[in-house]
Amino acid sequence: MSARAGIVVTGTEVLSGRVADGNGPWLSGRLRELGVDHAFTLIVGDRREDMERALAFLASSGVDVILTSGGLGPTADDVTAEVVGQFQGREMVLDNALEGRIGEILDRYMRRWPGLDREAIRASNRKQAIVPAGATILEPVGTAPGLVVPPSDSRGGPTVVVLPGPPRELQEMWPAATAAEALRAAIASATTYEQRTLRLYGIPESEIAETMRAAEANSPGLEGLEVTTCLRRGEIEVVTRFEPAASAEYAAFEELVRERHADTLFSTDGSTVDEQVAELLRSHAWTIATAESCTGGMLAGRLTDLAGSSEYVAGGLVVYSNEAKTALAGVPAALIERVGAVSTEVAEALADGARAALGAEVGVGITGIAGPGGATPGKPVGLVCFSVAGPDGARLTRSTRLPGGRADVRDRSTTVAMHLVRRLLRGEFDLPAT
């Protein structure tokens, strides 16, 4: 059995949702790379007793290592190092050399603000140099050191890796943590995991569930595979984790998905539709432009999320009002008056207008009713019209009613648009009338 791990994310701001947790998912990915089975992630506030309970729960669950993030600052509510030291049965001691190194870091910071009370700041940060005896110190990236704290000889249990909360500091410190002898010993039984992701679009979860049942009934079935499915942004992700010995079982499972869902399976190598659109635009040496109403620029934002997008994204127009549709995208006012702003005709005019205004080979137009208000007879909340126009009359135009609230409709609209762009770039477009 592989080494197992738990993660404790600390911070009342994370627990309350004011700050989204990025450290837990990031650390989960790094554990998988090490061949460690990630069993739990717990999020607790800045309360000593809750942190103690989280550590106790994970230890009782039989994990070999616990990773913590946050609670290493100089303020009174930063108690992670002290709680972990007590949990591991280790005395807290001042590391004079570490205090000196933290002081040097502070000196560099304080040059920016010469009026600060240096001694007061040094005193408040002195607590960051008080660490559990016998811990491996991970050098600070900011001012907070990390720690690898094995249990005392008399106590036993998991090794605890204490990492800072700021993601940049945590991620930069991770290589030093994985090199620590105490952590390597704790995860000596780690195995090797492979992970594969299949992505499908235009399919309900019920169909994937039926495919899973068919896979379980077949030989060799799903033995040795850990398969999870997730509906995200209107797509189905099928993520499978397995040890190399189960490669044949995975190959059979992937082939079954290919056979049953050939028309909706768009990625077998884990690539996203965003990445595929980017690669297709590069291969054509084309640029893309958007004219968006209900999505308010979200598609343009998504297109530019990937590094290097300046190669193929010309720009975007946010044309929320009818006047903006006419002034910026050249949509005839008479057309809007005749068919309404939310219509396939206006979506086509927006796509053409984006191409013309920004000199792009591909234009995308989106117009719809994201809600919660704005519905009219025959045009309910969630109705969104799309058009993607390319060179030589290539075009894809669709309208659909998307489920969910305002945020869901807007977000899923970008997914619909990305898949329409992908289809057009692959030559799967509607031919112009002859």
Side-chain angles (χ1 to χ4, degrees), residues 96-307:
N96 291 304
L98 176 60
E99 182 182 18
R101 295 197 295 276
I102 294 174
E104 292 173 2
I105 295 170
L106 288 171
D107 284 342
R108 292 198 298 271
Y109 286 163
M110 288 188 288
R111 291 191 192 107
R112 305 176 193 172
W113 300 285
L116 297 177
D117 186 336
R118 290 173 175 262
E119 290 307 313
I121 293 175
R122 282 283 189 92
S124 67
N125 281 269
R126 186 172 187 263
K127 75 185 288 286
Q128 295 177 295
I130 299 176
V131 300
T136 299
I137 296 171
L138 308 175
E139 287 302 306
V141 175
T143 61
L147 304 164
V148 180
V149 190
S152 64
D153 294 337
S154 61
R155 180 162 302 210
T159 291
V160 182
V161 180
V162 179
L163 299 166
R168 181 188 67 83
E169 295 182 25
L170 178 146
Q171 293 174 20
E172 193 169 329
M173 194 177 286
W174 180 247
T178 59
E181 183 178 344
L183 176 58
R184 303 306 304 182
I187 62 172
S189 61
T191 185
T192 299
Y193 287 116
E194 296 187 26
Q195 183 168 296
R196 300 287 186 272
T197 301
L198 306 175
R199 301 182 192 277
L200 303 96
Y201 175 72
I203 180 175
E205 285 186 280
S206 58
E207 289 195 35
I208 281 294
E210 181 60 32
T211 297
M212 297 287 291
R213 285 190 287 270
E216 290 170 352
N218 289 345
S219 179
L222 298 179
E223 184 177 351
L225 306 181
E226 182 182 323
V227 185
T228 59
T229 63
C230 175
L231 175 63
R232 186 165 66 165
R233 302 188 93 173
E235 298 173 348
I236 297 289
E237 291 182 349
V238 182
V239 180
T240 307
R241 189 180 72 162
F242 56 95
E243 295 185 39
S247 293
E249 287 84 350
Y250 177 74
F253 171 64
E254 181 180 313
E255 184 58 30
L256 179 65
V257 175
R258 286 176 181 268
E259 291 175 0
R260 293 174 65 97
H261 306 291
D263 57 338
T264 56
L265 177 65
F266 72 90
S267 174
T268 59
D269 60 1
S271 61
T272 64
V273 67
D274 305 56
E275 292 166 337
Q276 292 181 12
V277 164
E279 183 55 36
L280 286 164
L281 285 166
R282 287 193 182 99
S283 67
H284 284 288
W286 286 354
T287 59
I288 189 169
T290 64
E292 304 177 60
S293 183
C294 64
T295 47
M298 292 173 65
L299 178 61
R302 186 164 170 176
L303 285 165
T304 56
D305 273 343
L306 296 178

